[in-house]
Amino acid sequence: MKDTEYRCGWVALMGPPNAGKSTLLNALLGQKVSIVTPKPQTTRNQIVGILSDRHAQAIFMDTPGLTQVRGRLSKTMIQAVWQSLGQAHVIMPVLDSHLYILHPEYLERDLAPVAEALAEDTRPMIVAVNKVDLFADKSRMLPLLTRLGEMWPRAEIFPVSALLKDGLPQLEKLLCSCLPVGPAQFPEDQISTAPVRFMAAEIVREKLFLHLRQEVPYSVAVDVESWQEDAERGQTVIHAVIYVGRPMHKAMVIGRGGASIKHIGTEARKDIQELLGGKVHLELWVKVREHWTEDAVFLRELGLMAE
Ligand SMILES: Nc1nc2c(ncn2[C@@H]2O[C@H](COP(=O)(O)OP(=O)(O)OP(=O)(O)O)[C@@H](O)[C@H]2O)c(=O)[nH]1
Ligand SMILES: [Mg+2]
């Protein structure tokens, strides 16, 4: 095979919740396509991000964190991981190195589902050992790297910091060399397959996750109900509904005197304006929809469940 041949393929980012999968995807692309929060289980479905250059096109699939299945929503989240894995040419587990340095005992627990699924897999695998910026003495990583090497003897193990973009050019180069030879599957300027409507809803959900405490974010979903161009005012008018599982959560989203929802709306509008490159008028409503996380029809409407 000649080095000059164009390469193109699918890469599955997978691993435990909160490992930095979405941060890594955004950092590799140099643009935000997947929302990021300090709370686990932020990503709920497969998000495709496309990285193209003159030599290769890597089509990344960001996936929800692999965790215990509780209810229908988390079942559909896990299905998105397995479906992405099935589609991948290269598998990229992502993990939080700092967590396993502090708590080596969590490693087996967290990686067991990933390791088991990949035990017999012969596809190229690159393990992104993320968050190395969180400790100065890099030798602290050695026991973790040794254990990962035992777990996946064929894999490339690659320490990175997605946050600081440390090690990413090297990671990208290695990754592209692992892709199969073939023509690009997407136009070079396409960065994601997600419709802007979905991305706008995700931005609102990100702000809700960042702003709300405890378990409330997990009972929240966002759906863009209408999207119109107002030519006269030169702005996009977006109406989105925030669904919550309980009346109490509705009050928390709205906040005292509407302060909370106002803040969420302002923050989301700024990011959506950046995404669209133009002025946005964002209207948010909060509706209670009990047990929505168990409602297959609704999950499908939100685009969280395959047809
Ligand atoms: N210090 C540090 N923090 C990071 C790094 N990468 C990600 N984070 C932080 O880790 C948290 C989780 O990041 P995400 O990218 O949302 O993680 P994820 O794996 O996509 O999480 P889920 O979608 O919930 O499975 C956020 O607060 C990030 O800012 C890193 O390299 N260094
Ligand atoms: Mg994520």
Side-chain angles (χ1 to χ4, degrees):
M1 243 185 291
K2 281 182 288 175
D3 272 355
T4 50
E5 281 176 301
Y6 197 86
R7 289 171 186 273
C8 176
W10 293 74
V11 183
L13 294 162
M14 63 183 299
N18 214 40
K21 301 176 291 297
S22 304
T23 307
L24 181 61
L25 174 64
N26 296 337
L28 285 163
L29 298 181
Q31 199 171 318
K32 185 159 169 179
V33 298
S34 194
I35 62 169
V36 168
T37 81
K39 298 194 170 74
Q41 294 171 52
T42 299
T43 307
R44 284 186 177 160
N45 58 344
Q46 184 199 78
I47 310 280
V48 172
I50 306 157
L51 182 66
S52 308
D53 69 14
R54 280 190 300 120
H55 309 290
Q57 180 169 78
I59 309 154
F60 293 96
M61 294 167 279
D62 185 16
T63 64
L66 273 172
T67 173
Q68 277 178 344
V69 174
R70 263 179 280 127
R72 200 183 285 268
L73 173 63
S74 73
K75 201 168 149 198
T76 65
M77 284 164 62
I78 301 303
Q79 275 166 354
V81 183
W82 301 135
Q83 192 240 324
S84 304
L85 188 61
Q87 236 176 308
H89 296 107
V90 179
I91 302 162
M92 197 185 287
V94 181
L95 35 113
D96 177 344
S97 57
H98 191 232
L99 175 68
Y100 304 121
I101 287 171
L102 297 181
H103 297 284
E105 70 278 14
Y106 291 168
L107 182 71
E108 310 290 328
R109 178 201 69 183
D110 287 0
L111 292 197
V114 191
E116 214 169 284
L118 300 178
E120 306 289 317
D121 217 294
T122 56
R123 288 172 288 184
M125 188 164 136
I126 304 171
V127 185
V129 181
N130 192 28
K131 307 199 189 182
V132 299
D133 56 285
L134 288 176
F135 46 94
D137 179 4
K138 301 298 181 239
S139 70
R140 291 177 70 196
M141 238 185 330
L142 288 176
L144 171 64
L145 298 181
T146 306
R147 183 66 195 108
L148 291 170
E150 287 165 4
M151 216 178 232
W152 290 307
R154 285 189 323 98
E156 296 277 356
I157 305 200
F158 222 91
V160 294
S161 165
L163 192 70
L164 302 184
K165 301 197 176 188
D166 247 7
L168 298 197
Q170 297 86 335
L171 177 67
E172 188 185 324
K173 201 164 168 220
L174 172 68
L175 175 77
C176 287
S177 72
C178 295
L179 298 174
V181 169
Q185 293 183 23
F186 293 95
E188 212 175 288
D189 57 356
Q190 187 171 344
I191 192 115
S192 179
T193 56
V196 279
R197 262 177 109 104
F198 175 78
M199 288 173 96
E202 285 287 271
I203 289 170
V204 175
R205 198 165 63 80
E206 179 183 73
K207 305 312 172 199
L208 285 158
F209 262 59
L210 291 174
H211 197 72
L212 297 171
R213 272 173 300 135
Q214 293 148 7
E215 83 292 357
V216 189
Y218 304 107
S219 92
V220 161
V222 180
D223 190 31
V224 168
E225 288 211 322
S226 85
W227 182 293
Q228 274 161 350
E229 298 304 330
D230 179 347
E232 221 166 89
R233 290 210 173 90
Q235 63 182 10
T236 307
V237 181
I238 301 168
H239 290 187
V241 178
I242 298 166
Y243 289 98
V244 292
R246 291 202 242 148
M248 191 180 77
H249 291 169
K250 178 172 175 172
M252 288 163 96
V253 171
I254 292 171
R256 196 168 291 166
S260 178
I261 191 145
K262 193 166 169 229
H263 177 78
I264 289 160
T266 308
E267 293 291 302
R269 179 170 49 78
K270 278 191 225 155
D271 281 16
I272 300 171
Q273 287 190 159
E274 204 170 300
L275 174 74
L276 303 181
K279 229 175 121 194
V280 166
H281 178 81
L282 177 65
E283 295 269 354
L284 298 175
W285 273 279
V286 188
K287 287 187 188 168
V288 179
R289 189 168 174 138
E290 285 184 42
H291 312 299
W292 71 262
T293 57
E294 298 303 320
D295 183 345
V297 176
F298 186 62
L299 291 175
R300 211 164 279 138
E301 274 170 27
L302 290 173
L304 293 178
M305 207 163 147
E307 294 303 316

